[in-house]
Amino acid sequence: MPEPLVLAVLLSIVIFFWAFSVTEHSASSLVEMWGNGFWNLLAFSMQMAMVVVTGNALASAPQIRRFLGTAASVAKTPTQGVMLVTFMSCVACTINWGFGLVVGAMFAKEVARRIKGVDYALLIACAYIGFMTWGGGFSGSMPLQAATPNNPIARFITDSNYADGIIPVTQTLLTGYNIFIVVMLIICLPFITRMMHPKADEIKTIDPRLLQEDPDFSKKLDADATVAEKIEESRILAYIISGTGFAYLAMYFVDKGFNLTINIVNFIFLIVGLALHSSPAAYVRAVTNAARSTAGILIQFPFYAGMQLMMEHSGLGGMITQFFVDISNKDTFPILTFFSSALVNFAVPSGGGHWVVQGPFVIPAAQELGADLGKAVMGIAYGDMWANMAQPFWALPALGIAGLGVRDIMGYCMTVLIFTTPIFVIGLYFL
């Protein structure tokens, strides 16, 4: 599979020639649209990068590591280990997907250290399979962006019931159908992965080097440490700023209620991560390590921004919207959105970029049909996270931590994709 940047470039080319062939715009005007939109998503790109960084940095905190070690001791047999890793990853990804991806891989390694006879590739697959819950969780890019003022899709929402183009989380994350889907995934996935555990003579051996301890970002100062070094490693500074952050959050929730936005979620994870790492310098080292995972976001999102403006200003987005209106009704629209989102995921594997590319024609179509806008948003989110089992882009961080390749886990992931389909269909169509 090509690099995600290559996919973004290829998709830009496809949209350019598609718009050129079906609209009256010249090649030069389409190029101008693309270039004018290229930097329109800088704030959004930073938000998505912060999801990765704050979640990853929190996962590497020493308290989290100790908790993972204690939790891993609960499992006594290989199948118990597989179920526990799946469950832990599901819960962690529901909390924050960046946090969940890293915690899942770290926890899988911890279980592998303690249990003999467990299939290591399946354990790492379980860590990634838990990623199926992220879109309906507290860091779901699409529902949180839809609830964030001035998000990239807000201007497409013309319904007077949605002030400033905002779709609150009470109509997406906190709905009955979303709770059903997430809870069913958390319950069912451990049993699905348990049934996939290989027989004793088919288990893959583990290279001991893959189970080495993960790096510790804390630092013990020498007796002759300078004043500057002592300030950098000061617990007092970390606790003062994190305490101030918790005070702000308390005032925010008292004033706004349970109004989650992408900025508030990132703020929570930053403050908690800083408190757990116990010093500014330790947190900076953790963030530096985590920032390597943001390269794809930083380089891809400008291309998605160019695509969005080209589709919007050329009229291509409106044509796609009309196509969806013609082949669906308000009841079938969420299901259609779900499967179309799964297809888009192969070209746009990033949830944030996916929302920017597909939202501009899904939201107007939902409004014209009178469909539930919250379900339209979640249809995109579910299709994206469901198709991630066949699109290994977000498995790469976990595989890097584990020291494995994509083909070691894809058979397990594709099996899960097939068996979880009814959960999404029931939630979107019947609830």
Side-chain angles (χ1 to χ4, degrees), residues 29-45:
S29 65
L30 290 172
V31 170
E32 186 176 7
M33 294 174 199
W34 178 76
N36 288 341
F38 205 73
W39 301 114
N40 283 355
L41 296 178
L42 290 180
F44 181 61
S45 302

Side-chain angles (χ1 to χ4, degrees), residues 13 16 64 154 178 204 220 230 235 263 279 281 297 302-304 308 346:
I13 295 171
F16 173 86
I64 300 295
N178 182 59
K204 295 183 180 179
K220 187 175 181 180
K230 292 178 180 178
R235 291 177 177 267
N263 293 332
S279 79
I297 291 174
F303 288 90
Y304 297 144
Q308 185 194 64
F346 285 92

Side-chain angles (χ1 to χ4, degrees), residues 180-298:
F180 166 81
I181 288 174
V182 173
V183 170
M184 287 301 295
L185 289 172
I186 293 174
I187 293 173
C188 294
L189 285 174
F191 289 97
I192 295 173
T193 54
R194 180 186 187 278
M195 290 186 288
M196 292 192 291
H197 195 278
K199 297 178 181 179
D201 58 346
E202 297 174 346
I203 292 173
K204 295 183 180 179
T205 58
I206 303 171
D207 183 344
R209 292 175 297 179
L210 299 179
L211 300 180
Q212 292 178 356
E213 293 291 335
D214 297 301
D216 184 358
F217 298 110
S218 60
K219 181 180 179 181
K220 187 175 181 180
L221 293 176
D222 297 327
D224 58 348
T226 65
V227 174
E229 290 174 326
K230 292 178 180 178
I231 294 174
E232 289 174 351
E233 304 297 334
S234 170
R235 291 177 177 267
I236 296 176
L237 279 180
Y239 294 154
I240 287 175
I241 192 62
S242 57
T244 305
F246 289 129
Y248 167 77
L249 288 171
M251 292 186 291
Y252 173 86
F253 286 119
V254 168
D255 183 45
K256 305 286 187 181
F258 194 67
N259 181 30
L260 286 178
T261 68
I262 194 72
N263 293 332
I264 288 298
V265 169
N266 282 335
F267 187 82
I268 291 171
F269 274 79
L270 190 153
I271 292 301
V272 173
L274 182 59
L276 293 184
H277 278 282
S278 300
S279 79
Y283 190 65
V284 167
R285 287 189 286 270
V287 167
T288 300
N289 181 69
R292 294 179 298 177
S293 300
T294 66
I297 291 174
L298 298 179

